Amino acid sequence: MGWILALPLFLLAGFCLPLFPLSIAVNRFVQRQPAGAGDRFAQPRGKALVLLGLPLVGVLLVQAGHWLAGDGGGWLIDVFALWGGLTSLLYAFRLLSARDGQIWIGQLYTSALALVWVGAAHDVPPLLPALGLAASLLPLWFLLDGLTCRFGIARTGLYPGLSLRMPRFSTLFVAAVLAAVAVPFSPGFFAVANLAFGGAASNELLTLVPLSLAWLLWTWAGINLLTGIVFGEPRGDLDYADVDRRTMLVHGGGLAALALFGLILVEGML
Amino acid sequence: MASYAAVLSYGLVLAMFCSALAVRASAGRLGEGVARISVGASALTLVLALALFGWRLGHGGAELYGIGLGLFTLYVDPLSTLMAVLVSAIGLVVHVYSVRYMQDDPAYVRFFALLDTIIGVILLMVLAGDLLTLLLGWHLLGVCLYFLLNHDTRRRAANRFAFWTLFTHRVGDLPLLAAVALVYHGYGTLSIPALFDAIAAGPDKATALGLPLNEALGLLILFAAFAKSAQFPLHTWLPYTMDGPTPVSALMHAGIVNAGGFLMNRFAPVFVETHAVLLIAFAVGLVTTLMGSLMMLMQSDIKKALGYSTMGQMGYMVMECGLGAFSLAIYHLIAHGVFKATLFLGSGSIIGKARKDPNIPEGEIYKFMVERKVPHPPLSWVVFAGITITVPLVIVFGAHQLIDQGFLHHQGALILLLFGWITGAQTLFFVYKIGGERPFTVLFYVVLSFAAVILTYVVVGHAFDALLYPDPAFREALYRAASVSSTTFALVLVLLMVLISAGWLLVFRTEAERQPLPRRFRHLYYDLYALLSREFYVADLYSRTGERLLAASRKLNALLRWA
């Protein structure tokens, strides 16, 4: 009967490692505009902290639920794994048409973190994959905020061709999008590999199908984002200001640190 | 001595990555002079690759080197060192060509940095000693290619086709990820040599769902190879990516597209333990060869025609693997890489000349193509048909009997001979068709060239066999894995030979009577022409599917209020 105790914990975890429709709360939070200067959790840094912290809470709840469910509650975590896989695919599919930066990153966050459930059902320790997937989104989060500050909105298709007008920013942006869609050497890539390697031991289909399809759709969505912002013919009626060397170094350093974290993640996995 | 090889192999991989960083760092100071760094590193890479290949030839066997991490181990064996030589040689040629070709390009520095990176990634992939490093290289290859193809960031067409390339490559990454996950679960290792030992020790493992593990692995590896090597129906990215700079096309067609053939050879010990997987490779390779060759004939754009030609050649390479002739596939990909790089790099000057003087130079081809007044050779079509059918047959069988009599006992070898025969006969038929003033001289030279090509192919093919798969028992096992029952095989072979011979006789007769088949079956011919000119609607189907998926995604988002 441990599953009765575990169920509410898993449901609570479904807000942190988002499961549809509980995931709507996280996505609303990401899209929320600050009510004023004192609305700290609606500021980009506050939101980033929450987005990084939520998976940790989710992992704790999942592990507590696992412990309470015991051996007889395996079916329950399998149901949640299936739910997680479907949520990930749903959001990856929706990501294809997202043009607004905040909606885009909220949907990718949901799609990525929902995959942790797939691993959790198959005895993959969820902490490192959850952290890896969440951390991979941070550089893009801040760069999209940078776009909002410059142009008033972070939206694909409104100001294409930034590679010709803001080459430094574009380089960072490309690297951040690649990290977000789990391209090597981002922690996201190793997190996906970790989930795949661990999950394949229990059930290849339930693990590999959602992982692979979601990953494929992320790539498509990532290219859509690059196409509408970095590539194309730049507009002549806008003022462009590229990032300075210091910002470039800070962001570049952050990306390098992420790559290092990815390597640590993979060494922990092997 | 082992550390000497380790230094060489890591130096080989790191040289191009370091060059990419140096190019970026010194762009402000050197401007277009950064190309010197890039070309220098490329030359150094070739020297290192040759030294490593020489060292491996001298010592034999295979070694695994690591740096104390689970990742980034390098496996130095004949296959990896041979591929490293090919990659670095093509890399150097492309680098040297690009120095002037890309001159005055506003993104000169970015181009060289990316070119260095992609060569480094390919070298990492071919030398990978563990599956995760192989997966990294396999994955990054598509990403780097995307940015190289998107060199002109303003062009929508370049962007669109670069996306097709990346997406198809990603489709090929997924089966490899699944294969690596299954290996890790099934054999508990990611090290490539340890995996081969484990497969040899216990080949009858099953997956968690009870499927035969090696069969599943073989299939997944095959699918991964299909996407990278542009096999039908995952071929559309290859002929459409002509908006990238010509050096990138050359690199892509001479090097990157060979990744599938390399992967299949790398996992040859897995394919040895499979039963039906190689037959799928044969079937897909055959369809791709036919499609690629047919569609090549329909193109008026030289670069697109070369693109489809590559598709056909890649189909042939996969088909060779499907027949168990793995080392022959490596020889084929090297030979193809060299001639296709030459054709691509030369296509630019041909286009330039054609723009200056659009007239076809007068000669026998002109008379045949434009004037259409060339008489057939003064010989009965029956005699010429007899020569066409028998002479190539005698050459291909004779050459193989001369070098290795046992070769003909393999089913795969016989199929390859069949293709050799068809190719030779087709060339001789063309001599008859174009006619000319000295048909017998031309015939003599064609037969002589064909004999030289076949002999070289056989001799070098056997040398590659001895180099890559020195164990005769393993080679036998590869051919066995690609075999079907001998009765079925004999029946199919005889049927094919009769059909092909009858087909040629029919074509010869209609040519002699000046009533070519396209004129007789006009409607069928036009239907086929329309189908081929639209490239079997494969690209249209993908575009339409993509648009519908995007529309469905938009609808779903609107329904769920984007949250």
Side-chain angles (χ1 to χ4, degrees):
Chain A
M1 294 301 279
W3 69 269
I4 298 177
L5 296 170
L7 182 63
L9 289 183
F10 282 158
L11 285 173
L12 270 178
F15 283 98
C16 309
L17 301 169
L19 292 172
F20 182 79
L22 308 174
S23 53
I24 290 174
V26 171
N27 281 277
R28 286 264 180 256
F29 168 73
V30 173
Q31 293 169 30
R32 196 172 142 239
Q33 298 301 316
D39 192 359
R40 283 186 189 172
F41 285 118
Q43 300 296 337
R45 284 185 189 181
K47 279 187 188 172
L49 270 178
V50 172
L51 292 181
L52 205 56
L54 269 180
L56 298 180
V57 179
V59 165
L60 277 177
L61 288 168
V62 169
Q63 289 194 320
H66 238 308
W67 180 72
L68 284 173
D71 291 338
W75 65 270
L76 183 64
I77 187 82
D78 280 346
V79 170
F80 273 82
L82 189 65
W83 190 359
L86 290 173
T87 301
S88 179
L89 283 179
L90 173 73
Y91 274 89
F93 181 63
R94 292 174 57 188
L95 189 62
L96 296 180
S97 57
R99 296 170 73 85
D100 182 276
Q102 287 189 329
I103 293 174
W104 197 93
I105 208 153
Q107 294 194 339
L108 181 60
Y109 179 84
T110 310
S111 178
L113 268 296
L115 285 176
V116 175
W117 286 100
V118 177
H122 305 306
D123 299 326
V124 180
L127 181 62
L128 282 179
L131 262 181
L133 287 166
S136 297
L137 299 177
L138 286 182
L140 184 61
W141 175 259
F142 287 113
L143 289 173
L144 284 171
D145 179 53
L147 279 179
T148 311
C149 294
R150 277 180 175 76
F151 299 107
I153 187 171
R155 192 176 168 81
T156 166
L158 283 185
Y159 33 81
L162 288 193
S163 64
L164 296 169
R165 294 290 178 266
M166 297 163 60
R168 282 184 191 154
F169 178 87
S170 298
T171 306
L172 287 175
F173 192 79
V174 165
V177 171
L178 293 180
V181 298
V183 162
F185 295 82
S186 84
F189 173 80
F190 296 112
V192 168
N194 195 348
L195 292 170
F197 292 2
S202 305
N203 190 322
E204 299 99 341
L205 278 183
L206 272 184
T207 306
L208 295 175
V209 170
L211 267 175
S212 304
L213 285 179
W215 202 18
L216 185 67
L217 294 171
W218 297 350
T219 305
W220 185 351
I223 297 304
N224 286 348
L225 194 66
L226 290 180
T227 302
I229 291 177
V230 175
F231 301 120
E233 191 71 43
R235 281 170 57 173
D237 59 338
L238 294 174
D239 289 327
Y240 298 94
D242 205 354
V243 292
D244 55 31
R245 284 183 75 86
R246 194 180 149 274
T247 316
M248 179 89 181
L249 283 174
V250 169
H251 278 279
L255 283 161
L258 265 184
L260 203 64
F261 175 52
L263 290 178
I264 293 167
L265 207 155
V266 76
E267 284 305 313
M269 179 181 89
L270 295 174
Chain B
M1 284 307 278
S3 62
Y4 167 72
V7 169
L8 274 183
S9 50
Y10 277 104
L12 184 58
V13 173
L14 285 174
M16 295 315 289
F17 290 124
C18 292
S19 171
L21 287 175
V23 163
R24 265 279 170 215
S26 49
R29 203 159 32 88
L30 296 178
E32 291 197 351
V34 291
R36 285 200 297 272
I37 300 175
S38 208
V39 173
S42 199
L44 174 69
T45 305
L46 179 60
V47 171
L48 291 174
L50 284 170
L52 194 64
F53 182 62
W55 187 85
R56 182 44 48 213
L57 279 185
H59 288 76
E63 298 276 351
L64 183 74
Y65 302 112
I67 49 169
L69 296 170
L71 203 60
F72 302 130
T73 58
L74 298 182
Y75 188 44
V76 178
D77 73 340
L79 176 65
S80 62
T81 48
L82 185 64
M83 292 303 291
V85 171
L86 172 72
V87 171
S88 43
I90 289 175
L92 179 60
V93 172
V94 170
H95 268 87
V96 171
Y97 181 85
S98 306
V99 173
R100 289 194 60 190
Y101 185 88
M102 300 302 289
Q103 223 163 22
D104 299 328
D105 190 293
Y108 194 80
V109 173
R110 189 184 70 213
F111 175 81
F112 274 97
L114 275 171
L115 195 59
D116 290 353
T117 309
I118 201 167
I119 301 283
V121 164
I122 302 173
L123 287 169
L124 180 69
M125 185 184 79
V126 298
L127 283 159
D130 61 272
L131 295 174
L132 202 55
T133 304
L134 177 70
L135 185 65
L136 277 177
W138 190 258
H139 197 96
L140 283 174
L141 183 56
V143 177
C144 293
L145 189 56
Y146 169 77
F147 289 106
L148 272 173
L149 290 171
N150 227 337
H151 180 74
D152 185 353
T153 57
R154 292 171 191 258
R155 282 177 65 91
R156 285 179 69 88
N159 189 263
R160 178 178 155 84
F161 297 128
F163 163 69
W164 281 20
T165 302
L166 179 60
F167 192 79
T168 315
H169 278 237
R170 186 63 69 252
V171 169
D173 296 340
L174 303 177
L176 192 63
L177 172 76
V180 175
L182 289 183
V183 164
Y184 192 61
H185 158 57
Y187 294 107
T189 181
L190 288 177
S191 159
I192 288 176
L195 166 69
F196 296 160
D197 291 342
I199 288 175
D204 299 322
K205 288 197 178 258
T207 67
L209 292 178
L211 302 167
L213 181 57
N214 286 326
E215 214 76 17
L217 282 180
L219 263 181
L220 289 167
I221 292 163
L222 214 55
F223 288 142
F226 286 169
K228 280 273 196 290
S229 284
Q231 299 299 292
F232 185 84
L234 299 173
H235 65 279
T236 44
W237 65 274
L238 187 66
Y240 279 87
T241 43
M242 298 307 165
D243 278 290
T246 298
V248 178
S249 301
L251 179 68
M252 200 164 72
H253 288 257
I256 293 168
V257 79
N258 295 323
F262 160 73
L263 192 75
M264 291 181 74
N265 269 273
R266 171 50 77 223
F267 286 101
V270 174
F271 288 109
V272 161
E273 303 298 339
T274 59
H275 300 293
V277 174
L278 289 179
L279 293 179
I280 297 173
F282 172 71
V284 173
L286 180 62
V287 171
T288 308
T289 306
L290 293 176
M291 295 276 191
S293 309
L294 280 173
M295 289 193 273
M296 177 189 74
L297 297 174
M298 302 294 297
Q299 307 305 319
S300 52
D301 176 335
I302 184 171
K303 283 176 82 179
K304 212 169 170 195
L306 288 176
Y308 275 116
S309 149
T310 303
M311 179 188 161
Q313 296 287 340
M314 289 302 108
Y316 198 79
M317 180 189 74
V318 167
M319 198 173 67
E320 284 171 321
C321 290
L323 292 168
F326 278 66
S327 51
L328 208 56
I330 293 291
Y331 170 50
H332 189 133
L333 72 84
I334 291 174
H336 171 255
V338 172
F339 89 72
K340 195 49 70 70
T342 316
L343 284 172
F344 259 108
L345 298 178
S347 66
S349 62
I350 291 174
I351 293 168
K353 276 182 191 164
R355 279 184 186 146
K356 279 181 197 157
D357 179 13
N359 299 316
I360 301 172
E362 285 197 22
E364 293 200 337
I365 301 286
Y366 177 84
K367 282 180 189 163
F368 170 69
M369 297 291 284
V370 182
E371 293 181 350
R372 294 176 182 269
K373 285 179 185 168
V374 184
H376 285 311
L379 206 62
S380 155
W381 69 265
V382 180
V383 177
F384 212 101
I387 293 173
T388 300
I389 292 171
T390 51
V391 170
L393 200 64
V394 169
I395 291 174
V396 289
F397 274 90
H400 283 86
Q401 282 294 100
L402 204 70
I403 305 297
D404 178 10
Q405 294 181 354
F407 192 69
L408 295 176
H409 294 122
H410 303 130
Q411 291 181 0
L414 285 170
I415 297 286
L416 288 173
L417 294 188
L418 187 76
F419 274 92
W421 173 53
I422 295 171
T423 312
Q426 182 63 35
T427 317
L428 292 190
F429 168 67
F430 202 65
V431 172
Y432 177 78
K433 196 173 171 183
I434 64 168
E437 283 152 17
R438 293 179 302 155
F440 293 107
T441 315
V442 177
L443 186 69
F444 173 72
Y445 283 129
V446 166
V447 170
L448 201 67
S449 316
F450 181 68
V453 167
I454 290 292
L455 261 175
T456 313
Y457 204 75
V458 174
V459 171
V460 180
H462 278 78
F464 269 66
D465 248 354
L467 173 71
L468 298 176
Y469 302 107
D471 179 7
F474 185 80
R475 291 204 299 261
E476 282 296 321
L478 272 175
Y479 278 116
R480 228 181 5 258
S483 299
V484 292
S485 90
S486 47
T487 321
T488 316
F489 179 75
L491 274 174
V492 171
L493 192 67
V494 170
L495 186 71
L496 275 177
M497 287 184 77
V498 170
L499 276 176
I500 290 166
S501 302
W504 264 320
L505 287 174
L506 178 69
V507 170
F508 262 105
R509 208 183 112 194
T510 53
E511 272 297 320
E513 291 170 358
R514 304 261 175 204
Q515 277 193 318
L517 288 172
R519 222 175 288 166
R520 281 196 193 180
F521 303 98
R522 197 172 294 246
H523 288 298
L524 184 68
Y525 177 74
Y526 286 150
D527 288 346
L528 193 64
Y529 189 91
L531 195 64
L532 282 166
S533 68
R534 289 305 304 160
E535 295 156 14
F536 294 96
Y537 296 96
V538 177
D540 299 291
L541 178 74
Y542 290 161
S543 293
R544 186 64 66 83
T545 310
E547 283 162 15
R548 291 208 169 165
L549 283 175
L550 284 175
S553 169
R554 268 193 296 274
K555 270 189 189 168
L556 192 61
N557 261 328
L559 190 75
L560 297 172
R561 295 174 182 275
W562 300 90

